[in-house]
Every structure is written in structure tokens, then in C-alpha cells.
Amino acid sequence: MAAFAWALALSVVLHAWSIDPATAQSATAQSAAPKAYRITAGDKIGVTIFGQPDLSGESTVDQSGSIRLPLIGDIHAVNLTLTELEQSIAQALAPGYVRNPTVSIRIAEFSPIYVLGLVRTPGVYPYREGLSVLGAIARAGGIGVSEIQQSGMIGALLQAEERVRLLEIGRVVFLAKRARLIALQKGDDRIDFPDMSGLVVDPARIAQIRDGEQLAFTAERQAVLQETEALQKQLPRLEAEIASLKRQAELELQQRSLNHELVADYEQLAKTGLARKSTYIEVRREEARIDGNIGRLNSESLKAELAIGDLQFKITELRNGYQRRMSTELRETERSLLELTVTLPAAHRVRAAYARQVGLLTAEQLQQPAITVIRAKGTTNVKYDAIADFLLQPGDVVQIGSLFPPVPELPLDRLDLSGEKAASGETSSRTGNAAAAQRGATGSTAAVN
């Protein structure tokens, strides 16, 4: 009895050694493929024709959906069950090739699946019946990138994070600068800063930027006020000089009037022969001197009035130049803020993409990555929004996540872009003031604004 048991065990071992591994794998694949399974492109089909070893063998379904067999050539196989393909091959062999052919079909190897996207080892993997999306992700090493790529990805992620932070700080700088320029342009005595509490920037850094803009605002405002006051202080002196010259001219006119009376008296005496000629000449010479003084005083008064006009022109030009500079800087700041509406969301998307590839989660990516299964249906592809336990079929393409995950665009109100300010046109109304001041300088000594 013991000898019989030993012989039976030895027979089983020898039988196991005699099994070909490829045959065992084919048998496993055959048992795993139910009769209802429909063949897809990429499947490797094993064809066995009883009594015809030369006609038997394995063939892969090509992209046209056919397999190539000896003698009969191409046979359409896609979307057929194994039984339907057996009947199709038997019908092709019967007329003139094999009498009453007996055909057996098996799936030697299923069409592989393709795993792409945010997995550590994307690529092509063999299909096993009952394989789900979760199993495909596990075969691809899980969500993330390979260890070799991860080190480089971390560096890229840090650079992307640094760029996002710099752009966020730049946005705060431009917002504070724009508030300062608007205050300077309007002539306000303080800066009305926008609310920046919702920005992802350190409050201490925001306070530092605001303090810097406040210092710049005070310095620029004092500088223009000092320059304007320095020019305006010269106006009272010139006006007093004009008044003095006009007073002297009035006195000279009175002196000339008295001198005219004296000349008339000497002319009467000259007619009677009582006046001396030399004295008459001195009186006429005095009259000429008085006329000369009146002309000189009028000329000096006119020069002083022209100087007042020049000062008014300089004051107006100083204010207009200051307004033009503020308007130019304000337009450049608005343009920079507008550019941030493009560069900042793009930087957020790049950072999010690197973070997902490294396997990290950012504030924008708390939800699980989207899973899309692309499956061939005849000549078209059908996309399925899948979950982890979604069952796959041979030839499926599994896409985990996407290269650029969706990040909401930053709205204009977060960038505080309220449009072009009406104050930018205020300087245009002042462009004619300088010419008007120059034209009215000769006839006006009114006080300057």
C-alpha cells in the first residue's frame, strides 16, 4: 500500500514537470475567458484545427480587426465571441481546404491595458480578468512619479512655489503702489490702501510694503510742495518790485508835469527877453531826464511782470509734469496688474501640476484625481468617468488625473483692478494753463493758486 502511494505521488510530480509553462499560461487565459467575451484588437488568439498542425498556431488581432491564418488569409475577429470565430474559420476552411474541419479557439493573451498620467511607472501592462482601476494603479506603482524623477520634481516644485510667492508679493506691491499714485494724483494727504487681508501673503510683509509706500508718498508730496513753494515765494517780491517801480513812475510823471509848467514860464520870459538861454536849456535837459526815467521805470516794471509770468509758467509746468509722471506710472502699474491676471493663475497651475506629480496635495487639490477610462467600441472610443473599483477590459486606456489640473482663474476684483481711473485725464485739462499764464503775464499781477 505504501509502495502504491509513493508511485502515485511520483507520477503526479513527473506529470507536473512535463507541462509546458506557455501551455499552462494559455490554459489559464483560456479558462479566464468566458464564451461571452468578445475579441478586441491586440488579443493574441490561439487557433487549433484538429488533425492539421500546419494550419494551427497563434495570431494577434491587428488594428483592422483581423487575424491572418495559413491558406485562408485574413479572418475578421473583432467583436466576435470565441464560438463565432470558430464557426467563421470552419466556414472558411470547408470549401476546398479541410473536410469537416474541427476548430478550437482560445485566448492565448489578452490585449494589454495602458496606464497613463499621475502614476509612478506609466506604461503597458498585461490584462487579467477581473482587473479594476485600483489594480491597474497598483501595477503602475501607485499615484505619483518614480523615485528617479521625484528628486527633480521636488526641485521644480520648490521653484514653482517660489515663483507663486514672488508673484503674490508683486501683486501686493503693485496694489500698494497704485494706491499711492492715485493719492498723489488727486492731491490727497493720505493713502487709501485696498483691503489685502484675503491675499496669501504674510501680514508682516504686507505691512512692510505699505510702510514703504507711505514713506515714498510723504517724500514725493513734500518734494513737490517744496519746489512749488520755492517758486511761489518769488512772486510777492516781484509784485512788490512792480509796485515800487510804478510808484516811482508816478512821481516822475508828477515831476514832469511841474517841469512842463516851468518850461512854459521860461518860454514866456524868453519872449519878453528876461530869460537866460542857459537856464532854459537846463530846464529842457531836466525834462528829457525825467522822460528817460519814466521809460526806464516802465521797462523795468514790464520785465518784472514777464518774470511773474515765467514763474507762473514754471509752477504750472511743474504741476503738469508731476501729474503726467503720476499718470504714466499709474498706467504702467495697471498694466502690470493686468499681466498678473494671466501669469499668476498660470503659476498656480504649474505649481499644482508639480505637486500632483510628486504626490503632494496642495490647497487646490484636496479632491482625488479624476480617473478616465478610454475604451474602444468598434471604430470609436468611449470615455468613462471611472472610480477605483471600475472593472477594466482588454485594451482599455486608464488616465489618472491630467497634466494641468483645473485651477480657478483669479477674478479681477481679487487683483483690485477697477479699470482706468478718471483721474488720468485730469492733466489734459491743464496743458493750456502754461500758455495762458505766459499770455496774461504782461497784464496781470493777480495772486497765483
Side-chain angles (χ1 to χ4, degrees), residues 177 180-181 184 213-227 322 325-326 329:
K177 181 180 179 181
R180 171 177 62 84
L181 293 174
L184 289 172
E213 292 296 332
Q214 188 65 51
L215 291 175
F217 170 79
T218 303
E220 290 188 26
R221 189 166 178 271
Q222 289 180 351
V224 70
L225 288 177
Q226 289 175 358
E227 292 181 10
Y322 176 77
R325 182 167 61 86
M326 293 299 104
E329 292 184 12

Side-chain angles (χ1 to χ4, degrees), residues 1-24:
M1 186 69 179
F4 176 76
W6 171 257
L8 180 61
L10 181 61
S11 175
V12 170
V13 171
L14 292 176
H15 178 71
W17 285 354
S18 64
I19 297 177
D20 184 27
T23 305

